[in-house]
Amino acid sequence: MAASHNALDLYKLDELFSDEERIIRSAVLDWVKERFMPLIEEHYEAGTFPLELVPELAELGVFGATLPEQYGCAGVSHTAYGLINQALEYGDSGLRSFVSVQSGLVMYPIYAFGSEEQRMKWLPELAAGRRIGCFGLTEPNHGSNPGGMETRAMPVDGGYLLNGAKAWITNGCLSDVAVVWAKVGPDSGDQSADSKTIRGFLVEKGMPGFSTAEYKKKLSLRASVTSELYFKDVFVPEANMLPNVQGLKGPLSCLNQARYGIAWGATGAGMYCLEAALRYAGERSQFGRPIAGFQLQQLKLSQMATELLKGQLLCWRLGKLKEAGTVTPAQISIAKRDNVYQARECARMAREIYGAMGIMLESHVMRHSNNLESVLTYEGTHDVHHLILGEAITGLSAFGG
Amino acid sequence: MKIAVIVKEVPDTEAVISLKDGKPDLSGVKWIVNPYDEYAVEEAVRTAENKPGTSTVAVMVGNANSRTNLIDVLALGIDEAVLIADPALEGSSPLAIAKALAAAVKPLGADVILAGRQGVDYDWGITGIALAQLLDIAHVGIVSKLELGEGSFRAESEGDEGKLVTEGALPAVFTTDKGINEPRYKNLKGIMAAKKKTITEHSLSSLGLSAGDFGVAAAGVELVGAAEPPKRQGGRIIEGDTAEAKVANLVKLLREEAKVL
């Protein structure tokens, strides 16, 4: 059954989307409600991702959805891709993360920077969910400053020897292929010169010297696998290097894809929380009447509804700019930062409206709130995104001291 | 083989429908494809997948806003669609709707016509049967299993007292029940493909029909009013420390208050 968005569509935003975009959203949302929601509590508690649903996600067509049909993808608009992320994160940020990584951080760089041979080898397999990918940029000592990365690829006969480690990698342990960014050649002592040598490598599961380890005991994104990747003299053949990009702009352009999806996704988590809080406040009576009628609860509901409305408008405009090909990293950064922050506020307010019930897994709102703690600082921390906008409007960079 | 699937729009089954002036207030309600029709659509798509050379067409009586739901049906794998939209259709009886459908379906030359057993709005369950009558072909209702041969069919219908098996010659109308199949989820490729499919629009006049035979005035039935079911009264918890004491109290209340014993 198609979900009704009408009651909370305060500005008739639905009219901004094409028939096709609305149908895509409802197709994914129906799937999330009927197939994913019954499983999430169990997986969240166990700290596992529902891998059994990957074939269904592939059949739905959400992996690399914007890429062309010739690679087994659906070729949807960027706005539709945004709505897909919104519908997925309505379910769980971990579900959206899984799809974002596969699409924006693995399939996108292979499509944008890979050879035709690499595209044909990997994209149809990744689109069909027969292969899973991850993206290795962040390192244990280098998060907000990726240019400082220590992972090195030393040229050898027929390829490169990779050494280093990557941290906080979504899907790491599940992956058949890792898109790993490394500096080529020996350390020259000049960080900025060395970052110009950054290249992307397709490191395959089973390559000798490549290993992974899973982060356990997370209090957030529990239904998502987060890993460390280790490279010890891993031989990567020349054919596995992405030929068409060099320098930090490679990984940063991938992050723009992923951040765009996150900006949309966060509104989905917020929507779930608003719908749930409204329903609960309408059903829960105290002092002889529904708590939805109390001013303090209405303030929270009104704030949630207002911020979600604004967040969706940001996304819609961002989608149009992306489709026009003029979108800037700073524009994406604004929406990623504020939408995630506001979604976390929404989730926290929903949890408060629920009272004691809010802490229960079955209420889902604190799960969203906990997840959004990760989303707030991954793909560029909240603070760093302020600095990106700061630089865009002042012309002065706060990075590098 | 050609299959026509009759689909209609109904209010979202999740929608809360209130009454206004004694009539259902459907303003602002989201319209969806009738759930029983989803089984008919799935049956048509599966048949087409299994029988090469089969073509499928969806036929809907709707309005100018019905295209979205028809695209939905096309996204599930139906090849093309026909939309009959005319302001004069507003408030028509199921029989009148069947007349409009018959006019649109007849020239299609369909071997098999599938429709949901009933709409989940007014639950008349008439349109499919009337359509068969108007086309002068067989109808099998509440179909839970359908086997199609060359020019023949074998259909199973579940009844309260057993299973009815009907065999006959095509063309025929089958109205589908739950259980005939498990409707698939739409997928992105199907939705993108739907964009390129044809939706042919008809008005009553383009079907050679007269507007005077349709609408509230010609319906022959009138909705005079609707009322909400009485609200449930609060329950009562039977007091007592032990099961025996509770039973004793229950019997006392049934005898003295309810006066049923």
Side-chain angles (χ1 to χ4, degrees), chain B residues 58-77:
Chain B
V59 184
M60 177 190 276
V61 170
N63 56 53
N65 299 321
S66 303
R67 290 182 70 90
T68 309
N69 277 325
L70 273 180
I71 295 171
D72 241 49
V73 168
L74 295 173
L76 287 165

Side-chain angles (χ1 to χ4, degrees), chain B residues 18 24 60 71 104 113 124 127 131 212:
Chain B
S18 53
M60 177 190 276
I71 295 171
I113 299 166
W124 291 100
T127 309
L131 175 61

Side-chain angles (χ1 to χ4, degrees), chain A residues 1 19-20 34 59-60 75, chain B residues 13 68 185 187-188 192 195:
Chain A
M1 229 49 38
D19 279 342
E20 175 188 301
E34 290 167 27
E59 176 61 31
L60 206 53
Chain B
T13 48
T68 309
Y185 287 93
N187 65 43
L188 269 53
M192 296 302 283
K195 200 162 71 159

Side-chain angles (χ1 to χ4, degrees), chain A residues 118-133:
Chain A
Q118 289 168 339
R119 290 172 169 190
M120 290 312 291
K121 176 177 178 185
W122 289 106
L123 295 179
E125 290 291 296
L126 291 159
R130 287 191 291 269
R131 295 280 186 274
I132 294 171

